[in-house]
Amino acid sequence: MFAPDEALVLRIGQHSPALERLLLTYGVTTAAILTAYNPRARTVSDEANRGAQAQLQRKMDELGLLWLEGENRAESDAGPCEPTVVALGIAREQSERLAQGLGQLAFVYVDASGQPDLVWVHPY
């Protein structure tokens, strides 16, 4: 995630003091990491992915959500790098609806603990 003062590296299930500080800085207790890339885990064209991601960013603005840019990257750097939106102060239910609407199988949710957790979207 690209925070104003630093890039944060997050790992599922591992507490991140830097993420916890970021939430405090923005006065929020939650965040969701969402992408519009490759819905239903099927590879689509770069053009389709970029267009879908731009729509997601516009949706964040329409909803009045504060958001930062980020990217999903495999720890080994072997997989694809996918841009993300890090929505700050968003409810888990709203995050799930957005992910479902994007055709995503899962998203990352963070509560005040600063621990990113993978949330599977149902139905998928």
Side-chain angles (χ1 to χ4, degrees):
M1 164 191 339
F2 308 116
D5 297 328
E6 63 183 315
L8 303 180
V9 176
L10 306 178
R11 290 187 173 74
I12 301 299
Q14 292 184 12
H15 175 259
S16 169
L19 179 56
E20 191 174 9
R21 283 190 305 276
L22 181 76
L23 295 176
L24 286 171
T25 297
Y26 282 98
V28 299
T29 58
T30 62
I33 301 172
L34 302 157
T35 186
Y37 267 54
N38 300 317
R40 292 171 187 73
R42 294 189 180 105
T43 302
V44 300
S45 72
D46 288 341
E47 182 180 343
N49 278 329
R50 285 191 301 272
Q53 192 69 14
Q55 285 182 323
L56 172 58
Q57 292 172 341
R58 284 191 296 276
K59 183 71 169 176
M60 294 292 109
D61 292 338
E62 289 169 12
L63 293 170
L65 292 167
L66 178 61
W67 59 275
L68 303 170
E69 292 185 20
E71 58 187 27
N72 286 336
R73 186 181 289 252
E75 195 166 334
S76 66
D77 282 335
C81 176
E82 296 180 343
T84 64
V85 165
V86 183
L88 300 172
I90 190 170
R92 182 177 166 135
E93 297 78 20
Q94 185 177 26
S95 304
E96 187 165 351
R97 284 191 305 273
L98 285 167
Q100 191 173 37
L102 295 166
Q104 296 300 312
L105 303 180
F107 65 97
V108 174
Y109 195 73
V110 182
D111 62 19
S113 71
Q115 178 176 304
D117 290 311
L118 189 64
V119 178
W120 293 98
V121 177
H122 297 285
Y124 51 82

PDB file of all heavy atoms in Angstrom, residues 34 63 65 89-99 107:
ATOM      1  N   LEU A  34      -9.193  -3.695  -2.057  1.00  0.00           N
ATOM      2  CA  LEU A  34     -10.027  -4.218  -3.140  1.00  0.00           C
ATOM      3  C   LEU A  34      -9.331  -4.019  -4.479  1.00  0.00           C
ATOM      4  O   LEU A  34      -8.590  -3.053  -4.663  1.00  0.00           O
ATOM      5  CB  LEU A  34     -11.363  -3.468  -3.178  1.00  0.00           C
ATOM      6  CG  LEU A  34     -12.195  -3.500  -1.911  1.00  0.00           C
ATOM      7  CD1 LEU A  34     -13.143  -2.321  -1.856  1.00  0.00           C
ATOM      8  CD2 LEU A  34     -12.958  -4.820  -1.847  1.00  0.00           C
ATOM      9  N   LEU A  63     -18.810   7.309  -3.399  1.00  0.00           N
ATOM     10  CA  LEU A  63     -19.235   6.914  -2.059  1.00  0.00           C
ATOM     11  C   LEU A  63     -18.649   7.830  -0.975  1.00  0.00           C
ATOM     12  O   LEU A  63     -18.986   7.690   0.202  1.00  0.00           O
ATOM     13  CB  LEU A  63     -18.823   5.463  -1.778  1.00  0.00           C
ATOM     14  CG  LEU A  63     -19.533   4.403  -2.607  1.00  0.00           C
ATOM     15  CD1 LEU A  63     -18.880   3.044  -2.415  1.00  0.00           C
ATOM     16  CD2 LEU A  63     -21.015   4.353  -2.253  1.00  0.00           C
ATOM     17  N   LEU A  65     -15.586   7.913   0.023  1.00  0.00           N
ATOM     18  CA  LEU A  65     -14.601   7.195   0.832  1.00  0.00           C
ATOM     19  C   LEU A  65     -13.196   7.742   0.596  1.00  0.00           C
ATOM     20  O   LEU A  65     -12.827   8.070  -0.529  1.00  0.00           O
ATOM     21  CB  LEU A  65     -14.620   5.704   0.497  1.00  0.00           C
ATOM     22  CG  LEU A  65     -15.878   4.956   0.910  1.00  0.00           C
ATOM     23  CD1 LEU A  65     -15.924   3.583   0.267  1.00  0.00           C
ATOM     24  CD2 LEU A  65     -15.943   4.836   2.417  1.00  0.00           C
ATOM     25  N   GLY A  89     -11.847   3.395   6.489  1.00  0.00           N
ATOM     26  CA  GLY A  89     -13.072   3.668   7.231  1.00  0.00           C
ATOM     27  C   GLY A  89     -14.311   3.005   6.661  1.00  0.00           C
ATOM     28  O   GLY A  89     -15.428   3.430   6.929  1.00  0.00           O
ATOM     29  N   ILE A  90     -14.138   1.960   5.903  1.00  0.00           N
ATOM     30  CA  ILE A  90     -15.251   1.272   5.248  1.00  0.00           C
ATOM     31  C   ILE A  90     -15.720   0.091   6.110  1.00  0.00           C
ATOM     32  O   ILE A  90     -14.915  -0.586   6.752  1.00  0.00           O
ATOM     33  CB  ILE A  90     -14.838   0.803   3.834  1.00  0.00           C
ATOM     34  CG1 ILE A  90     -16.040   0.298   3.040  1.00  0.00           C
ATOM     35  CG2 ILE A  90     -13.727  -0.227   3.904  1.00  0.00           C
ATOM     36  CD1 ILE A  90     -15.735   0.056   1.571  1.00  0.00           C
ATOM     37  N   ALA A  91     -17.017  -0.148   6.119  1.00  0.00           N
ATOM     38  CA  ALA A  91     -17.573  -1.283   6.856  1.00  0.00           C
ATOM     39  C   ALA A  91     -17.300  -2.584   6.099  1.00  0.00           C
ATOM     40  O   ALA A  91     -17.216  -2.595   4.874  1.00  0.00           O
ATOM     41  CB  ALA A  91     -19.074  -1.098   7.050  1.00  0.00           C
ATOM     42  N   ARG A  92     -17.192  -3.649   6.845  1.00  0.00           N
ATOM     43  CA  ARG A  92     -16.936  -4.953   6.223  1.00  0.00           C
ATOM     44  C   ARG A  92     -18.045  -5.339   5.249  1.00  0.00           C
ATOM     45  O   ARG A  92     -17.771  -5.851   4.163  1.00  0.00           O
ATOM     46  CB  ARG A  92     -16.786  -6.012   7.320  1.00  0.00           C
ATOM     47  CG  ARG A  92     -16.460  -7.382   6.773  1.00  0.00           C
ATOM     48  CD  ARG A  92     -16.264  -8.363   7.891  1.00  0.00           C
ATOM     49  NE  ARG A  92     -16.288  -9.717   7.389  1.00  0.00           N
ATOM     50  CZ  ARG A  92     -15.428 -10.638   7.730  1.00  0.00           C
ATOM     51  NH1 ARG A  92     -14.468 -10.376   8.589  1.00  0.00           N
ATOM     52  NH2 ARG A  92     -15.519 -11.847   7.238  1.00  0.00           N
ATOM     53  N   GLU A  93     -19.301  -5.092   5.626  1.00  0.00           N
ATOM     54  CA  GLU A  93     -20.426  -5.460   4.759  1.00  0.00           C
ATOM     55  C   GLU A  93     -20.376  -4.689   3.443  1.00  0.00           C
ATOM     56  O   GLU A  93     -20.637  -5.250   2.381  1.00  0.00           O
ATOM     57  CB  GLU A  93     -21.759  -5.214   5.469  1.00  0.00           C
ATOM     58  CG  GLU A  93     -21.970  -6.054   6.707  1.00  0.00           C
ATOM     59  CD  GLU A  93     -21.199  -5.545   7.935  1.00  0.00           C
ATOM     60  OE1 GLU A  93     -20.798  -4.349   7.980  1.00  0.00           O
ATOM     61  OE2 GLU A  93     -20.961  -6.359   8.848  1.00  0.00           O
ATOM     62  N   GLN A  94     -20.057  -3.400   3.506  1.00  0.00           N
ATOM     63  CA  GLN A  94     -19.952  -2.601   2.288  1.00  0.00           C
ATOM     64  C   GLN A  94     -18.790  -3.099   1.433  1.00  0.00           C
ATOM     65  O   GLN A  94     -18.898  -3.175   0.214  1.00  0.00           O
ATOM     66  CB  GLN A  94     -19.765  -1.121   2.630  1.00  0.00           C
ATOM     67  CG  GLN A  94     -19.775  -0.217   1.419  1.00  0.00           C
ATOM     68  CD  GLN A  94     -19.655   1.247   1.777  1.00  0.00           C
ATOM     69  OE1 GLN A  94     -19.113   1.602   2.822  1.00  0.00           O
ATOM     70  NE2 GLN A  94     -20.159   2.110   0.922  1.00  0.00           N
ATOM     71  N   SER A  95     -17.701  -3.469   2.063  1.00  0.00           N
ATOM     72  CA  SER A  95     -16.546  -4.011   1.344  1.00  0.00           C
ATOM     73  C   SER A  95     -16.923  -5.288   0.618  1.00  0.00           C
ATOM     74  O   SER A  95     -16.542  -5.498  -0.542  1.00  0.00           O
ATOM     75  CB  SER A  95     -15.403  -4.308   2.316  1.00  0.00           C
ATOM     76  OG  SER A  95     -15.055  -3.180   3.053  1.00  0.00           O
ATOM     77  N   GLU A  96     -17.673  -6.143   1.306  1.00  0.00           N
ATOM     78  CA  GLU A  96     -18.073  -7.411   0.692  1.00  0.00           C
ATOM     79  C   GLU A  96     -18.984  -7.167  -0.505  1.00  0.00           C
ATOM     80  O   GLU A  96     -18.835  -7.816  -1.543  1.00  0.00           O
ATOM     81  CB  GLU A  96     -18.752  -8.319   1.712  1.00  0.00           C
ATOM     82  CG  GLU A  96     -19.026  -9.699   1.156  1.00  0.00           C
ATOM     83  CD  GLU A  96     -19.360 -10.726   2.217  1.00  0.00           C
ATOM     84  OE1 GLU A  96     -19.232 -10.442   3.416  1.00  0.00           O
ATOM     85  OE2 GLU A  96     -19.738 -11.842   1.815  1.00  0.00           O
ATOM     86  N   ARG A  97     -19.916  -6.232  -0.378  1.00  0.00           N
ATOM     87  CA  ARG A  97     -20.802  -5.918  -1.515  1.00  0.00           C
ATOM     88  C   ARG A  97     -20.004  -5.395  -2.705  1.00  0.00           C
ATOM     89  O   ARG A  97     -20.259  -5.762  -3.853  1.00  0.00           O
ATOM     90  CB  ARG A  97     -21.870  -4.912  -1.104  1.00  0.00           C
ATOM     91  CG  ARG A  97     -22.986  -5.500  -0.264  1.00  0.00           C
ATOM     92  CD  ARG A  97     -24.156  -4.540  -0.106  1.00  0.00           C
ATOM     93  NE  ARG A  97     -23.788  -3.235   0.425  1.00  0.00           N
ATOM     94  CZ  ARG A  97     -23.697  -2.932   1.714  1.00  0.00           C
ATOM     95  NH1 ARG A  97     -23.953  -3.848   2.639  1.00  0.00           N
ATOM     96  NH2 ARG A  97     -23.354  -1.711   2.093  1.00  0.00           N
ATOM     97  N   LEU A  98     -19.044  -4.527  -2.437  1.00  0.00           N
ATOM     98  CA  LEU A  98     -18.212  -4.003  -3.519  1.00  0.00           C
ATOM     99  C   LEU A  98     -17.409  -5.119  -4.186  1.00  0.00           C
ATOM    100  O   LEU A  98     -17.366  -5.208  -5.412  1.00  0.00           O
ATOM    101  CB  LEU A  98     -17.268  -2.919  -2.992  1.00  0.00           C
ATOM    102  CG  LEU A  98     -17.899  -1.572  -2.692  1.00  0.00           C
ATOM    103  CD1 LEU A  98     -16.947  -0.704  -1.879  1.00  0.00           C
ATOM    104  CD2 LEU A  98     -18.301  -0.875  -3.978  1.00  0.00           C
ATOM    105  N   ALA A  99     -16.770  -5.957  -3.390  1.00  0.00           N
ATOM    106  CA  ALA A  99     -15.981  -7.062  -3.939  1.00  0.00           C
ATOM    107  C   ALA A  99     -16.862  -7.994  -4.762  1.00  0.00           C
ATOM    108  O   ALA A  99     -16.477  -8.437  -5.847  1.00  0.00           O
ATOM    109  CB  ALA A  99     -15.274  -7.822  -2.821  1.00  0.00           C
ATOM    110  N   PHE A 107     -11.354 -10.449  -0.675  1.00  0.00           N
ATOM    111  CA  PHE A 107     -10.744  -9.144  -0.465  1.00  0.00           C
ATOM    112  C   PHE A 107     -10.047  -9.187   0.888  1.00  0.00           C
ATOM    113  O   PHE A 107     -10.205 -10.132   1.655  1.00  0.00           O
ATOM    114  CB  PHE A 107     -11.777  -8.000  -0.546  1.00  0.00           C
ATOM    115  CG  PHE A 107     -12.811  -8.026   0.548  1.00  0.00           C
ATOM    116  CD1 PHE A 107     -12.670  -7.240   1.678  1.00  0.00           C
ATOM    117  CD2 PHE A 107     -13.935  -8.835   0.452  1.00  0.00           C
ATOM    118  CE1 PHE A 107     -13.625  -7.261   2.678  1.00  0.00           C
ATOM    119  CE2 PHE A 107     -14.897  -8.863   1.448  1.00  0.00           C
ATOM    120  CZ  PHE A 107     -14.739  -8.072   2.567  1.00  0.00           C
TER     121      PHE A 107
END
